[in-house]
Amino acid sequence: MSKLTFGFTQLQVQYSLIDSRVEAHLVPLCRQHDVKLLPYGVLAGGFLSDRWLHQEEPSSQTLENRSLTKYKLMVDEFGGWGAFQHLLALCREIADSHRGDCGISDVAVAYIAQQDCVGGIILGARSKAHIGSTLRAANLKLTSQEIGRISQFLCRTRQGPAGDFYELERERKGRHGQIMRYNLNRVHSDVHLAEVQARIALWEEENTTCDSAARTFLQQLGEELQSFHHGSEYGKLSQQSGETLRALEKKIVQLLPTSI
């Protein structure tokens, strides 16, 4: 039999109006090897939508989930809430020039879809209400002038995020790394438990007080520890990891009563 070889055809990446790190090195590499990008996070967890236009900057306590916290950090890297509002206003202006119910999210999706090496886009429709806007965004085509306006704005305004693709997320002691979950291919294993232990240790190292945001973070860690008891890998934990799990659960309980 002849030897079979398999090559990459698409690469799943985080790519949006506020996070263009892939353009520095990854896009040229994909162009060279005829690999397409399959972006996720194109709407930055929903921040790139009409919902956030003319809104005050949300505090970390009001963000509903880890995903919004993650993408709010990207807004900060982009240039802050003020710069982000100018971006939303520009997208709204472009949306108004198109017929129908075109919105900011449609423009954000169309811009990325028309970038070099993009072969498709991952969009999550959490309910039936999102299906119409998802289909509408897929059919929107921006003119070269509209793409140029957005590109020029980004060149003038964008401050970050800097570095290579996922560079910020790899720094586990940084703001981005602290909210990431690693080793998800080994959920509820010894490796996963060690990761949770490291996050708790890092929190203790860097926090002398426990505000409401920190309380939420600790509660999430507590829930993650509880999930170990119901995971398929629970029975495979080493004796040492079992002791560590119980010790960490007690530590979370001890830390939380001091919260406000």
Side-chain angles (χ1 to χ4, degrees), residues 5 8 38 71 145 155 180 210 218 243 253 255:
T5 59
F8 288 105
L38 187 61
Y71 289 115
Q145 290 81 5
C155 288
M180 298 296 292
C210 192
L218 290 173
E243 294 173 356
V253 172
L255 290 171

Side-chain angles (χ1 to χ4, degrees), residues 136-247:
R136 186 173 62 243
N139 294 322
L140 177 64
K141 298 296 181 183
L142 300 178
T143 66
S144 58
Q145 290 81 5
E146 290 169 337
I147 291 177
R149 287 186 64 191
I150 296 174
S151 297
Q152 290 172 14
F153 172 84
L154 294 177
C155 288
R156 293 194 310 267
T157 307
R158 181 171 51 207
Q159 298 179 14
D164 206 354
F165 181 53
Y166 283 152
E167 184 174 331
L168 289 172
E169 291 83 351
R170 292 191 188 101
E171 180 52 57
R172 298 196 179 194
K173 290 189 176 182
R175 294 195 309 157
H176 298 266
Q178 287 186 47
I179 66 167
M180 298 296 292
R181 287 183 175 176
Y182 300 92
N183 299 306
L184 290 181
N185 59 330
R186 300 193 62 185
V187 172
H188 302 134
S189 66
D190 292 343
V191 174
H192 183 188
L193 183 62
E195 173 61 41
V196 178
Q197 184 178 20
R199 274 187 273 155
I200 294 175
L202 180 62
W203 184 90
E204 288 186 290
E205 178 184 326
E206 298 188 351
N207 290 272
T208 56
T209 59
C210 192
D211 58 15
S212 57
R215 179 184 178 87
T216 299
F217 175 73
L218 290 173
Q219 287 174 332
Q220 290 175 344
L221 284 176
E223 292 170 0
E224 190 169 347
L225 289 171
Q226 283 294 315
S227 72
F228 275 81
H229 295 282
H230 309 290
S232 59
E233 297 292 319
Y234 179 66
K236 301 178 184 178
L237 287 177
S238 66
Q239 181 178 352
Q240 181 179 356
S241 290
E243 294 173 356
T244 299
L245 175 60
R246 290 187 287 273

Side-chain angles (χ1 to χ4, degrees), residues 47 49-58 81-82 84-85 88:
F47 274 114
S49 67
D50 285 277
R51 174 186 175 186
W52 292 100
L53 180 62
H54 304 315
Q55 297 298 311
E56 293 185 0
E57 182 173 6
W81 196 251
F84 180 65
Q85 284 297 311
L88 292 182

